[in-house]
Amino acid sequence: MFFRQMLLAAPLALAAAAAGADPVTIEQIDLETLQNFDSEPVVVNDGDDSPLARIVQIDPTGAASNSVSLYVDGQSNGLSASTSLPEQASALGLESGGIEQFGQDNLLRLVIEGEQNAFSVVQHGVGNSVTAQVLGQQNSLAAVQSGSFNVIDVIQNGQGNSAFVLQR
C-alpha cells in the first residue's frame, strides 16, 4: 500500500497526494535562530473536506529532530469532523486536526481512514512516540505526552470509538 510505504520513507518530505487536497498549515521553528527548519513532515491528505487545524513542530535546540508522518483518507476528518474529541481533551484546549511537537526526537505516525474522525496529538518533551491507526467512522483520538520517552500505540477500528491518553 502506498501510504504504508510512505510512512516508513526517510528523509521526511512534504507530499501532496491528490490535486485539490485540503491545505495544511505547517509551522516548524528553530528557537535558536527563529528560522524555519529545512526538514518537513510527511503529510498526505487524500480526504474530502478534511482540513487540519495545524501542525506545529518546535525543537528548542535547533536540531529539527521531531518527526510527523500523517495520512488522512476519507471525508470530513480532522478540523471539519462533526465527531467531538473526548471531553478531557477539550478541557485541555485541544482542537481536532491539531498536531504539536515541542522538544526533541518526538515521533508521530498517524493513519486516519474513514469519515468524521476527530484527532489531536500533543507531544512535549524528549523521545515521545505515538503510532496510531483510526479506521472507520465517528471515532475520536486525543493523545497528550509530557515528559520523556512515553510510548502510545492505538488502533481504533469501527464506529464511535473514543480514546484519550495522557502520559506524564
Side-chain angles (χ1 to χ4, degrees):
M1 299 177 112
F2 169 76
F3 72 91
R4 295 196 195 288
Q5 293 171 351
M6 190 197 63
L7 288 178
L8 300 174
L12 296 179
L14 182 63
D22 292 311
V24 63
T25 300
I26 300 172
E27 179 181 359
Q28 297 175 300
I29 298 175
D30 173 346
L31 291 183
E32 288 184 357
T33 63
L34 296 179
Q35 304 261 333
N36 286 338
F37 292 138
D38 291 331
S39 65
E40 297 176 340
V42 172
V43 178
V44 175
N45 191 349
D46 277 342
D48 295 326
D49 190 31
S50 295
L52 303 176
R54 70 193 182 294
I55 297 177
V56 178
Q57 293 178 300
I58 300 174
D59 183 338
T61 68
S65 62
N66 294 310
S67 174
V68 171
S69 290
L70 173 63
Y71 176 83
V72 180
D73 188 18
Q75 189 168 11
S76 300
N77 295 299
L79 190 58
S80 66
S82 63
T83 304
S84 299
L85 288 172
E87 186 176 312
Q88 304 93 325
S90 297
L92 292 174
L94 283 101
E95 181 178 26
S96 183
I99 296 171
E100 179 181 317
Q101 294 176 316
F102 183 90
Q104 296 174 273
D105 299 319
N106 294 304
L107 171 71
L108 171 62
R109 300 289 180 258
L110 181 58
V111 174
I112 306 291
E113 291 186 34
E115 297 181 7
Q116 298 292 333
N117 294 301
F119 60 92
S120 185
V121 177
V122 175
Q123 296 174 306
H124 285 217
V126 176
N128 294 305
S129 173
V130 174
T131 303
Q133 292 184 348
V134 178
L135 313 170
Q137 298 176 359
Q138 300 172 332
N139 298 303
S140 64
L141 167 67
V144 178
Q145 295 175 314
S146 176
S148 298
F149 306 107
N150 295 300
V151 176
I152 297 173
D153 291 312
V154 175
I155 297 175
Q156 291 180 321
N157 193 353
Q159 183 172 353
N161 297 301
S162 180
F164 174 73
V165 181
L166 173 62
Q167 293 180 316
R168 297 179 187 203

